[in-house]
Amino acid sequence: MKICGIELKANNTILTVCNKDNTNDDIVDYIDLKIKKIVLEDDEKAEDIIDYNKKILDFIKENKIEKIIIKKRAKKGTFSGGAVTFKMEAIIQLNPYCEVELISGQAISSYERKNDINLPTSLKKYQEQAYLAIISSIKK
């Protein structure tokens, strides 16, 4: 099963894709794709939102993504997510191709504390949270 982990930051959708072995929950292979980010240029322009939606849907279709796991952002407080990230999340959740699941930052941190995690060497530093969203969700 191909799973896409997503972290939303400012106007960036940070993507990480893994292949999960359906017979063994312990086997998760990172797939180093060319596209690692999709950007929403201007959230106030309809054409930019339409373009962002098209890029997201094309990415899901072309890479045969079967599930998306998004790292949740707080709705209020010091570390709350910006309005643009919630707009991007809604666009992703409305995709007709696959299931979307949200996972909290606390769940990811808890998984990190309890497990020894070996990050793939080709994984970029900025993709780590998206990757951790995948493994902490499927191995919980």
Side-chain angles (χ1 to χ4, degrees):
M1 168 191 283
K2 274 196 180 173
I3 301 172
C4 179
I6 293 178
E7 181 183 20
L8 300 169
K9 274 189 160 182
N11 64 338
N12 293 304
T13 302
I14 300 167
L15 307 161
T16 300
V17 176
C18 292
N19 196 26
K20 178 188 167 288
D21 186 334
N22 289 332
T23 60
N24 185 343
D25 281 348
D26 292 336
I27 299 175
V28 178
D29 295 319
Y30 168 67
I31 302 169
D32 191 9
L33 297 175
K34 184 179 174 191
I35 296 175
K36 293 174 178 28
K37 284 185 189 179
I38 297 175
V39 177
L40 171 56
E41 295 299 332
D42 185 346
D43 72 301
E44 294 181 6
K45 290 184 180 175
E47 59 268 15
D48 285 355
I49 292 172
I50 291 167
D51 182 56
Y52 174 80
N53 184 46
K54 182 182 178 330
K55 287 178 183 174
I56 290 291
L57 294 177
D58 288 347
F59 180 84
I60 293 168
K61 259 192 337 192
E62 288 170 12
N63 293 292
K64 297 176 177 64
I65 303 299
E66 297 170 73
K67 184 174 187 176
I68 294 174
I69 300 168
I70 300 175
K71 179 184 177 190
K72 279 200 273 190
R73 286 127 7 268
K75 293 180 181 164
K76 55 187 172 185
T78 310
F79 298 105
S80 63
V84 176
T85 62
F86 290 104
K87 190 181 281 191
M88 293 161 51
E89 180 182 292
I91 291 168
I92 295 165
Q93 286 180 307
L94 289 171
N95 91 77
Y97 303 117
C98 67
E99 168 191 359
V100 177
E101 175 186 317
L102 301 176
I103 187 166
S104 70
Q106 293 88 346
I108 294 170
S109 294
S110 174
Y111 181 83
E112 279 186 284
R113 279 191 304 275
K114 295 175 184 174
N115 296 279
D116 184 30
I117 300 167
N118 295 316
L119 297 171
T121 54
S122 57
L123 187 74
K124 304 286 185 213
K125 180 76 175 157
Y126 65 85
Q127 291 179 288
E128 285 181 9
Q129 289 299 304
Y131 178 79
L132 291 169
I134 294 172
I135 61 170
S136 59
S137 174
I138 63 175
K139 293 185 178 187
K140 61 182 169 186

